[in-house]
Amino acid sequence: MSHLWTSDAMIAAMGGRPIGSMPAGISGISIDSRTLKPGEAFFAIKGEAMDGHDFATAAVKAGAGVLVVAEGKLPALGRLTAPMIVVPDVLAAMERLGLAARERNQARIVAVTGSVGKTTTKEALRHVLSAVGTVHASAASFNNHWGVPLTLARMPADCAYAVFEIGMNHPGEIRPLVKMVRPHVAIVTAIAAAHLGFFRSLDEIAEAKAEIFEGLEPGGAALLNRDDSRWKMLEKMARAAGAEHVYGFGENARSTYRLVNCALEADHSIMTARIGGKEIVARVGAPGRHIVQNALAVLGAAHLVGADVAKAALALGDLEAEQGRGRRHVLPHPKGPITLIDESYNANPASMRAALALLKATPVPEGGRRVAVLGDMLELGAQSQKLHAALAEPVVDAGADLVLLAGPHMESLAAALPAGTAVTLKATAEDLKPVLFEALRPGDVVMVKSSKGIGFAKLVDILLNRFSAEAQKRA
């Protein structure tokens, strides 16, 4: 059996103290006893809300091969008989293991940051690079102070490519993470008004994102959105950080990886792009102009890491939108299906506009309507009222026949919409639920979007469950 880590290598990398009879090695790494698989190491990380040591017994019952625990917590775990590696600090130990994983690995590595499109771009990279070699990538949005070292520590020694998402909502958060990852290519997808409550301006957000260039390997490349208004600023910061190569992707004529043409359909796009001196036509399975921009970055990164670009472009054809990021569902109804566009994972002004453009591009059958279900965008600080009100124009442009809103910040949008707009405003997602159920008709196209903290993902789940249950009853 091949191990992700041998016990000896883990102990050496973390400087830990073994207790009990160690297994030969471990098959994986978990920080959650609920999803732990037999044979994995359980790292008892102490978070803001919960302490992993409280779940050590559950981890043993789930079949953990070894527990990584803090010295100070050992007395409380006295009755456990499982093998343990004792360390001063569990998160620090995982960071050390992540550094050891990076040291032993020869993969070509891409790191992705940006205000929008990070996870979508990371998942698209995972998808297309899998067509040309073995790929390791972050799970979900594991892009913070524990997610990045966890992803590193999970990296197999022999993968050909690795993709890391690196996020932030304060200055100084990307720097230590990217210095662990040491990417060969660093992508900045776009700079937009996300986390503006923690920054004074978009320039400050760009400066924080630019920390990603500080971890580039010698000879590495910065890959930037040439259509972004902060392209020049980012280019300058990349060079100042020591990036030896800076490339652009976009529609701009001076882009290294240039979009030549693009046809947007309801459920996919066809793009023509100039990549590495060759013109490539590709079908992009997930819809939306913003997805095309991400796909350009993906093909550019594939070219920069030496992957077969033609195979990567072909793989874009069966790319699917991620859950909460544009995934489409057809809700069965006896008088005609309802189309649900799930954009519930998160929201900021740029991603709201992109989602409303998707709603606009989706054909509506006769008798159906476009329904925009929108919740608050969080972390926008003093500009929140203005940025919510500014969504009125894209809502109207999307041709929304019905607008359902929830959250205190959405009051600004409700007030800014033209007179005569069919709009309902409620305080919470829970309050909006009965209104949404009552409103939906056969043939409707419904797009649901809000910041994660507003809880609109529950609306999506309830709709999926309700219509699935009703279909089963009729069957």
Side-chain angles (χ1 to χ4, degrees):
M1 175 188 172
S2 63
H3 299 297
L4 175 64
W5 289 98
T6 65
S7 290
D8 288 346
M10 272 185 81
I11 292 162
M14 299 189 300
R17 178 169 64 87
I19 293 179
S21 178
M22 287 289 128
I26 54 114
S27 56
I29 293 172
S30 174
I31 60 171
D32 188 337
S33 61
R34 296 167 299 179
T35 55
L36 181 144
K37 297 186 180 81
E40 291 185 335
F42 176 69
F43 278 67
I45 288 175
K46 187 179 187 309
E48 289 177 16
M50 288 182 280
D51 187 339
H53 294 87
D54 296 337
F55 303 92
T57 302
V60 173
K61 284 179 181 172
V66 65
L67 306 180
V68 181
V69 299
E71 187 81 53
K73 298 284 186 175
L74 201 54
L77 301 173
R79 293 183 182 179
L80 278 180
T81 55
M84 300 186 217
I85 301 174
V86 185
V87 295
D89 180 280
V90 178
L91 179 57
M94 192 165 72
E95 289 171 356
R96 291 181 70 171
L97 191 61
L99 291 171
R102 178 65 183 89
E103 201 59 45
R104 72 178 183 174
N105 195 282
Q106 298 302 309
R108 301 293 290 172
I109 294 178
V110 182
V112 184
T113 195
S115 302
V116 288
K118 289 186 296 297
T119 303
T120 301
T121 301
K122 180 259 297 180
E123 287 300 328
L125 272 165
R126 181 210 297 272
H127 181 75
V128 305
L129 291 175
S130 294
V132 294
T134 54
V135 182
H136 174 69
S138 319
S141 291
F142 284 12
N143 63 19
N144 62 2
H145 66 287
W146 59 261
V148 171
L150 174 60
T151 303
L152 268 171
R154 286 173 166 174
M155 183 163 60
D158 59 353
C159 57
Y161 307 99
V163 189
F164 291 82
E165 178 182 339
I166 305 182
M168 63 92 204
N169 54 23
H170 290 86
E173 290 180 343
I174 290 176
R175 183 175 293 116
L177 300 178
V178 75
K179 287 183 176 178
M180 294 174 71
V181 171
R182 291 166 33 215
H184 300 95
V185 178
I187 299 174
V188 181
T189 57
I191 303 300
H195 311 302
L196 206 50
F198 304 118
F199 297 89
R200 285 177 297 187
S201 65
L202 288 177
D203 284 356
E204 282 195 358
I205 291 175
E207 285 167 11
K209 297 294 185 187
E211 293 171 19
I212 198 170
F213 309 133
E214 297 175 32
L216 273 171
E217 283 285 85
L223 183 54
L224 313 176
N225 189 335
R226 198 72 166 75
D227 300 334
D228 194 288
S229 61
R230 281 161 183 79
W231 147 264
K232 282 186 181 174
M233 181 183 177
L234 285 168
E235 181 193 27
K236 210 176 273 187
M237 288 189 288
R239 296 198 186 281
E244 293 183 33
H245 307 284
V246 181
Y247 302 112
F249 65 91
E251 239 175 324
N252 187 290
R254 298 177 70 182
S255 300
T256 317
Y257 304 103
R258 185 166 67 88
L259 183 66
V260 177
N261 197 15
C262 168
L264 303 175
E265 303 295 338
D267 59 353
H268 71 279
S269 300
I270 304 293
M271 63 184 278
T272 305
R274 195 154 186 81
I275 309 288
K278 295 179 182 174
E279 207 158 275
I280 288 177
V281 178
R283 182 186 191 278
V284 184
R289 176 63 181 80
H290 58 301
I291 302 294
V292 170
Q293 195 81 356
N294 295 338
L296 266 180
V298 165
L299 292 179
H303 181 253
L304 290 171
V305 297
D308 185 323
V309 174
K311 284 184 180 174
L314 193 61
L316 284 171
D318 53 9
L319 184 70
E320 292 182 356
E322 294 296 304
Q323 184 178 346
R325 293 178 168 92
R327 182 169 289 180
R328 289 171 184 242
H329 304 274
V330 177
L331 308 179
H333 190 286
K335 294 182 180 177
I338 295 167
T339 301
L340 171 64
I341 304 172
D342 176 12
E343 283 275 0
S344 62
Y345 181 76
N346 220 338
N348 58 47
S351 65
M352 273 284 193
R353 287 171 183 269
L356 287 162
L358 268 185
L359 179 63
K360 179 182 180 179
T362 305
V364 177
E366 191 176 342
R369 303 162 302 167
R370 289 187 175 87
V371 181
V373 184
L374 310 177
D376 284 354
M377 302 179 289
L378 303 179
E379 297 182 356
L380 295 179
Q383 295 197 44
S384 181
Q385 194 173 340
K386 173 184 161 189
L387 291 170
H388 280 83
L391 292 176
E393 186 181 337
V395 166
V396 171
D397 185 59
D401 301 292
L402 178 62
V403 184
L404 305 179
L405 308 175
H409 298 291
M410 277 295 165
E411 288 180 17
S412 301
L413 172 56
L417 286 167
T421 304
V423 58
T424 298
L425 172 67
K426 293 292 180 181
T428 67
E430 189 63 29
D431 295 334
L432 192 61
K433 185 170 67 175
V435 179
L436 177 60
F437 284 165
E438 184 66 31
L440 290 189
R441 296 182 199 157
D444 282 352
V445 176
V446 188
M447 190 274 290
V448 178
K449 180 111 179 134
S450 78
S451 280
K452 193 174 183 180
I454 302 302
F456 270 34
K458 290 177 191 169
L459 292 178
V460 171
D461 290 342
I462 289 164
L463 284 173
L464 292 174
N465 292 334
R466 174 175 171 167
F467 280 91
S468 172
E470 286 182 0
Q472 285 172 6
K473 277 182 201 170
R474 288 193 298 271

